[in-house]
Amino acid sequence: MQKIKYEFADGTTSEIEVTDELYALHLELVQQEKRNHWKETRRHISLSYLTENGIDFEDKAADSLSAYLRREDDERIHNAITKLLPEQQALIKKIYYEGKTITEIAKAENVGKSAIANRLTRIYIKIKKFLN
């Protein structure tokens, strides 16, 4: 015969005497409970640890929304650019698609950098009006 000690939620304890077979079953259940608790604790600690250290998990819903908004913005900007004069479109293409600098463009066109900067300012104002 073996004794099982049980502690109640209010802090009181009780001991009962059980057969060896029932005691072995009790020990197995206690071990299983410890393993389950360990798995849960380990999982939560790991997720908390990663989050605290700046590792975030991808949120598919947020990513889909961001992609949708980005496509919508791209489409609006593209439509605004198509409303520009051909020379203005060419300047935007050189800057944003070909990666040329204002200095390179100014040198190629034999004008000052401020002339190109002024053109870009006018283009940005126009695009802003088209977007509103």
Side-chain angles (χ1 to χ4, degrees):
M1 296 291 266
Q2 300 284 338
K3 287 188 178 184
I4 296 176
K5 185 177 181 181
Y6 183 79
E7 186 174 340
F8 294 93
D10 65 359
T12 60
T13 59
S14 178
E15 276 190 17
I16 57 170
E17 219 173 279
V18 295
T19 64
D20 290 338
E21 185 180 299
L22 196 55
Y23 185 74
L25 181 62
H26 170 72
L27 285 180
E28 179 59 35
L29 289 172
V30 168
Q31 288 299 322
Q32 182 64 39
E33 185 178 352
K34 285 181 182 178
R35 283 192 294 271
N36 288 342
H37 178 71
W38 179 80
K39 286 179 187 176
E40 280 298 307
T41 304
R42 181 174 173 229
R43 184 174 67 87
H44 291 289
I45 289 172
S46 297
L47 292 175
S48 298
Y49 176 79
L50 293 172
T51 304
E52 288 169 5
N53 287 299
I55 299 170
D56 203 5
F57 297 94
E58 183 179 6
D59 183 358
K60 299 287 185 191
D63 190 49
S64 297
L65 178 61
S66 298
Y68 172 76
L69 293 174
R70 206 171 21 254
R71 278 194 308 270
E72 190 176 88
D73 286 345
D74 289 348
E75 187 176 316
R76 289 179 61 218
I77 291 169
H78 176 74
N79 289 338
I81 290 172
T82 60
K83 294 177 183 176
L84 297 173
L85 298 173
E87 308 85 44
Q88 293 172 326
Q89 289 179 18
L91 183 56
I92 292 290
K93 183 180 176 186
K94 288 175 187 173
I95 297 275
Y96 291 101
Y97 296 102
E98 297 173 9
K100 293 187 177 182
T101 65
I102 292 175
T103 306
E104 291 171 337
I105 297 168
K107 193 173 187 180
E109 294 183 12
N110 290 323
V111 296
K113 291 189 295 187
S114 61
I116 303 299
N118 289 337
R119 287 184 208 167
L120 281 172
T121 302
R122 286 192 300 275
I123 291 171
Y124 296 151
I125 291 169
K126 248 185 172 178
I127 288 175
K128 190 174 179 181
K129 285 180 187 176
F130 293 142
L131 292 176
N132 290 331

